[in-house]
Amino acid sequence: MDTSVGLELWVKEIHQNTTGLSFKVEKTLFSGQSRFQKVDIVQTYGHGIMLLNDGIIMLSERDEFIYHEMIAHVPLFVHPSPKQVLVIGGGDGGTVREIMKHPGVERVVMVEIDELVVNACRTHLSSVSCEMDNPRVELCIEDGTEYVDNTQEIFDVVIVDSTDPVGPGAVLFSRPFYEKISAILGPDGIMITQAESPFYDHDIQRTMLLNQRPFFKKLQLYLFSTLTYPGGLWSFGYASKGICPIGDFDPDRVETSDISTRYYNPKIHIAAFALPNFVSENLEDILDPIVIPFQNAQIKK
Ligand code: SAM
């Protein structure tokens, strides 16, 4: 009989006091407190390295590619010629890493409020932060709302890679913020927003989309799987000045690009906008109908 007593460490994220996610931890790599949040980076047994802000799991090395490919490639393959991209939040660098795969993108401005997240990920999560030193990337340590209030620049794509709508992330779900973003987007401009869980957060989704509605011609929601967020199904908001994520999407552009992805492909791009009834019923008065023009198109990948 084995009588040895071993201490097991687990990361446990409790969601809405009713459900939880847990991952077995091998060791803590970093733990720090900024004036905005607590930042922890841990090595897990099953999911590689994991980033947590205020105890909420931001990403794991095992599945972060799904989130970051879907937040970046959907708008970049729909916009006709994305050159100037703004990322708000996203301090881990995963979104920037995916954007940098697009050779036509000339410049990415990343505005992250918390330098501690950026520095901790640079040191302990290099598989995610690996493009942060790319000369096409400009890092601003600033509140995203202040940046959009003050910038004179126009962007092709704005990606709001935010935390949940609590603490410093709350303003990134507000109406004045979306109004400012629509003002700094070019005529073909697209904004993507982290849009929470279709299962648990339908009220947040409604409020977020209602706040965007006055400033954008097209509003959609699209879905992807995640292993590290509650419920396993997550969403992004798609808002544009007129470009349609399906009707204006050319699968050939993806197929003839040299961009390598592990989750994103043309079929996933199209399918992600198909919403289950429980999601679309909650949002049908806010979202635009999807137009599907592909009846005879052949998509190889
Ligand atoms: N993928 C993650 C998720 O949804 O759980 C979020 C990625 S990223 C780590 C989110 C970042 O947004 C955090 O590093 C946080 O510091 C940053 N953030 C929160 N509020 C912000 C604000 N007002 N301006 C800029 N960045 C902000």
Side-chain angles (χ1 to χ4, degrees):
M1 194 171 78
D2 181 7
T3 52
S4 60
V5 180
L7 198 63
E8 284 191 353
L9 281 178
W10 288 75
V11 157
K12 193 164 170 196
E13 179 184 326
I14 301 295
H15 187 65
Q16 296 179 347
N17 221 17
T18 58
T19 183
L21 285 165
S22 38
F23 299 88
K24 193 171 174 180
V25 173
E26 200 179 327
K27 59 181 175 197
T28 299
L29 301 174
F30 176 82
S31 202
Q33 175 76 49
S34 72
R35 80 190 157 93
F36 302 105
Q37 59 209 340
K38 186 166 189 298
V39 178
D40 292 290
I41 300 184
V42 296
Q43 175 77 54
T44 69
Y45 280 101
H47 280 256
I49 298 172
M50 194 172 260
L51 166 70
L52 299 101
N53 288 1
D54 278 340
I56 307 289
I57 298 165
M58 296 287 116
L59 64 87
S60 87
E61 274 189 313
R62 183 142 187 205
D63 72 323
E64 56 80 15
F65 65 96
I66 303 176
Y67 179 103
H68 292 125
E69 289 181 13
M70 290 301 278
I71 204 171
H73 299 305
V74 167
L76 293 176
F77 276 119
V78 170
H79 189 284
S81 178
K83 290 187 167 55
Q84 304 291 327
V85 180
L86 173 64
V87 177
I88 299 198
D92 50 76
T95 298
V96 162
R97 181 194 64 203
E98 294 306 311
I99 297 168
M100 286 296 91
K101 292 179 179 174
H102 290 254
V105 171
E106 292 169 359
R107 179 164 161 263
V108 180
V109 179
M110 188 178 111
V111 184
E112 162 63 57
I113 201 168
D114 194 347
E115 194 167 20
L116 187 64
V117 176
V118 178
N119 291 341
C121 292
R122 271 190 205 272
T123 308
H124 300 285
L125 251 173
S126 56
S127 63
V128 179
S129 63
C130 50
E131 289 290 346
M132 288 298 291
D133 291 325
N134 190 308
R136 291 185 285 155
V137 179
E138 191 181 309
L139 172 66
C140 298
I141 300 298
E142 192 181 349
D143 188 320
T145 55
E146 278 168 26
Y147 181 88
V148 298
D149 278 351
N150 297 322
T151 185
Q152 304 298 316
E153 299 194 51
I154 297 295
F155 292 92
D156 301 308
V157 171
V158 175
I159 296 177
V160 186
D161 184 2
S162 70
T163 41
D164 298 333
V166 286
V171 282
L172 305 183
F173 290 75
S174 71
R175 188 171 288 224
F177 176 65
Y178 297 136
E179 184 172 15
K180 292 280 163 41
I181 289 187
S182 85
I184 61 165
L185 273 173
D188 291 326
I190 298 170
M191 173 182 77
I192 303 296
T193 49
Q194 193 278 105
E196 305 287 307
S197 160
F199 280 106
Y200 298 116
D201 301 318
H202 33 82
D203 291 344
I204 296 176
Q205 290 191 325
R206 276 195 69 81
T207 308
M208 185 196 91
L209 292 165
L210 282 169
N211 285 343
Q212 296 177 3
R213 188 67 274 185
F215 314 113
F216 293 92
K217 243 194 209 135
K218 292 250 183 302
L219 271 197
Q220 305 290 354
L221 193 82
Y222 64 101
L223 305 179
F224 60 98
S225 311
T226 159
L227 307 179
T228 42
Y229 297 167
L233 183 70
W234 215 255
S235 67
F236 290 127
Y238 172 101
S240 84
K241 298 278 183 84
I243 298 267
C244 172
I246 303 294
D248 292 311
F249 172 62
D250 177 5
D252 270 355
R253 242 177 91 185
V254 184
E255 285 173 349
T256 56
S257 80
D258 285 334
I259 292 177
S260 137
T261 50
R262 292 172 65 205
Y263 185 84
Y264 177 84
N265 62 39
K267 286 180 192 161
I268 287 283
H269 178 118
I270 295 161
F273 287 87
L275 301 180
N277 293 354
F278 81 93
V279 181
S280 59
E281 278 160 13
N282 178 46
L283 303 171
E284 64 194 352
D285 55 322
I286 313 173
L287 298 178
D288 291 295
I290 284 271
V291 179
I292 302 171
F294 292 117
Q295 278 90 338
N296 299 314
Q298 281 204 1
I299 302 169
K300 285 186 225 93
K301 276 186 205 160

